[in-house]
Amino acid sequence: MENRQTLEELYNGYILGQLSAEELVDFIQQVQESDNAAVFEQLVDKSFSQHRIVVDELEGKKAFHRFQKRLQLSNDVSMPAPHTTTSLHKLWQYVAATAAILIMVFLGKQYTIQWSSEVNASLYQSIQDIKPGNTIAYIENTNGIQTPLAIEGELFIRDSYLQDGSGHILPHQKADEEWLNLIVPKGGKYSITLSDGSKVIINSDSKLSFPKHFTATDRRIKLRGEAYFEVSHNPDKPFIVETTLQKVRVLGTSFNIAAYPEERTVTTLITGKVNINTAAESRDLDPGMQGITTSGTIQVRPADLESVLAWKNDKFVFVKTPLSDIIKQLERWYNVSINLQPGSESLSQKTFSGTIAKDASFEELLKLFKTTEAIKVEVREGRIYLMK
């Protein structure tokens, strides 16, 4: 009974941010004891029922990555060696980060719930609270273990290891044919240089699946979401990008693919030549053209390259773009939920034109709409509502 009361007091102190460094060490030790597992789970259950928290494992790790960034910690946080002189400040950084890991990983494992607009209910009280995205990503191995990547925004596949932009070697030392996932959440952007030298820049809310080393016959990867490719030329090894609706085959070229779930897939060719293949059709693209794949059929048309590549160049470029499409882009980059107020559904087809940097505040971006259309904006319970 006494142990339960002690753990509950420490848990409540952690939630309120009131623990001292010594109390945090005690809290970590208490949580790791198997006898306390059931009590700890009950405390978390209570928090969820009282505060209606919605969390998934990816968002838990994303929260910890932001925590690391604020403390300027390395990605491999480790306990100082015994008998090493460590300042209280350094000790505080360790115990705070470790406590964050324990809480976030536990919540992620026990409450794997799809991240949705509900999660923003406790995050945003006003437009000023909404911040633009950043270089955030995770590498996931075949066992589902995810490792947050450095904020430098780059990942390199070396001969026998993975290295992020900070020079940190990642702990994925398995067979060469192992497939990995590079996951870029909402509010993120990241780039990777594959083992053949091809570079891929990955947009928010996307996943790139790739092998450490390609086979002898081709260079095959998989994409869900959006990415820009600069493929190294190799006539003996075609580069193949698989999405839900199509396969794109190239030898060496630059192109963009947008293949988000429940949306049409748009492949835009910048240089070189690509072939788009579906179960029903096959089409070649020339530079400056794009293929739009819907339900197996491919429509080819000229592309507005500036707007297609705007996300890669850290800009929003809208050219008579429907508000419904703009909302999707904003939700991914600012990690927010944007809703049309009942009675204002006709706004979804209103078109807007303009250019603004992606590091602009959300408030600045909203002004872009107001210059051409009388749109009111409100934040209620963490959600953004647009109305006439």
Side-chain angles (χ1 to χ4, degrees):
M1 183 69 179
E2 184 178 348
N3 285 345
R4 178 188 176 93
Q5 183 176 354
T6 300
L7 179 56
E8 186 167 358
E9 289 174 355
L10 290 171
Y11 176 80
N12 291 334
Y14 175 79
I15 295 298
L16 296 173
Q18 297 174 349
L19 295 186
S20 66
E22 291 79 8
E23 288 171 330
L24 267 172
V25 172
D26 189 17
F27 177 52
I28 293 166
Q29 292 172 342
Q30 294 266 8
V31 169
Q32 293 183 95
E33 292 180 8
S34 58
D35 292 345
N36 291 334
V39 176
F40 186 60
E41 184 171 348
Q42 290 171 10
L43 292 173
V44 175
D45 280 333
K46 184 178 180 181
S47 295
F48 270 66
S49 62
Q50 287 180 343
H51 302 290
R52 298 178 65 189
I53 300 171
V54 180
V55 178
D56 71 8
E57 185 173 0
L58 182 58
E59 291 302 323
K61 292 183 179 180
K62 179 178 173 182
F64 172 61
H65 186 53
R66 291 195 298 267
F67 189 89
Q68 282 183 309
K69 181 180 175 182
R70 288 199 300 273
L71 294 179
Q72 296 183 332
L73 293 173
S74 64
N75 282 321
D76 52 343
V77 180
S78 57
M79 176 65 87
H83 311 300
T84 299
T85 300
T86 306
S87 68
L88 181 60
H89 178 65
K90 290 291 185 182
L91 177 61
W92 169 257
Q93 286 188 339
Y94 167 72
V95 295
T98 306
I101 293 174
L102 290 169
I103 293 294
M104 291 304 179
V105 171
F106 182 87
L107 295 183
K109 289 180 179 178
Q110 300 296 324
Y111 296 87
T112 304
I113 302 175
Q114 180 65 37
W115 180 262
S116 69
S117 58
E118 291 290 336
V119 79
N120 294 309
S122 61
L123 295 180
Y124 302 119
Q125 301 302 318
S126 68
I127 296 296
Q128 288 75 22
D129 292 334
I130 301 171
K131 306 301 180 185
N134 207 334
T135 48
I136 304 171
Y138 309 89
I139 194 73
E140 181 183 65
N141 66 13
T142 51
N143 294 324
I145 298 174
Q146 296 179 351
T147 303
L149 298 177
I151 60 173
E152 283 76 7
E154 295 179 298
L155 179 65
F156 302 90
I157 311 302
R158 304 304 189 189
D159 289 340
S160 59
Y161 59 88
L162 279 68
Q163 185 177 35
D164 64 24
S166 66
H168 180 67
I169 296 175
L170 303 181
H172 295 286
Q173 307 301 326
K174 292 189 177 182
D176 285 348
E177 65 270 16
E178 178 190 6
W179 277 69
L180 300 170
N181 296 320
L182 180 55
I183 299 172
V184 182
K186 289 183 178 180
K189 178 184 177 183
Y190 224 81
S191 70
I192 180 174
T193 300
L194 299 170
S195 58
D196 68 331
S198 296
K199 184 174 182 179
V200 187
I201 304 174
I202 305 165
N203 203 356
S204 303
D205 196 20
S206 302
K207 180 173 76 172
L208 185 77
S209 302
F210 59 94
K212 275 188 180 178
H213 296 283
F214 293 113
T215 67
T217 57
D218 62 31
R219 297 171 288 168
R220 188 178 301 265
I221 62 174
K222 300 175 182 179
L223 173 68
R224 187 203 69 196
E226 185 168 23
Y228 169 81
F229 298 83
E230 293 179 354
V231 177
S232 297
H233 183 73
N234 186 342
D236 299 322
K237 257 190 189 182
F239 192 95
I240 300 171
V241 183
E242 296 183 358
T243 69
T244 301
L245 296 179
Q246 65 180 33
K247 293 180 182 179
V248 174
R249 182 185 177 94
V250 302
L251 296 177
T253 185
S254 59
F255 58 100
N256 190 88
I257 298 179
Y260 286 106
E262 300 179 2
E263 295 183 22
R264 61 187 186 176
T265 297
V266 181
T267 303
T268 305
L269 182 61
I270 315 303
T271 62
K273 196 167 187 176
V274 303
N275 173 265
I276 304 174
N277 189 285
T278 69
E281 194 173 357
S282 177
R283 299 287 297 272
D284 291 332
L285 290 185
D286 293 320
M289 303 297 288
Q290 64 184 189
I292 302 172
T293 304
T294 308
S295 302
T297 62
I298 305 169
Q299 176 190 2
V300 177
R301 70 181 187 186
D304 185 324
L305 297 184
E306 184 182 9
S307 59
V308 169
L309 299 180
W311 72 270
K312 179 184 79 72
N313 299 323
D314 297 320
K315 296 188 294 183
F316 288 108
V317 176
F318 305 126
V319 181
K320 295 183 178 180
T321 306
L323 183 59
S324 57
D325 291 342
I326 293 174
I327 285 174
K328 293 175 184 176
Q329 294 185 45
L330 301 187
E331 287 183 326
R332 288 174 183 137
W333 183 240
Y334 290 91
N335 192 15
V336 293
S337 172
I338 303 176
N339 306 270
L340 294 178
Q341 178 77 8
S344 299
E345 290 83 1
S346 61
L347 286 176
S348 65
Q349 296 308 310
K350 293 282 185 180
T351 60
F352 297 85
S353 298
T355 300
I356 192 168
K358 291 188 76 172
D359 62 359
S361 69
F362 195 76
E363 188 175 20
E364 287 179 272
L365 197 142
L366 290 177
K367 293 177 182 177
L368 183 67
F369 306 138
K370 293 182 179 180
T371 57
T372 56
E373 184 73 28
I375 296 180
K376 298 178 182 178
V377 182
E378 288 185 8
V379 177
R380 299 196 302 272
E381 298 181 349
R383 296 181 179 181
I384 300 165
Y385 290 87
L386 306 181
M387 62 201 76
K388 297 178 180 178

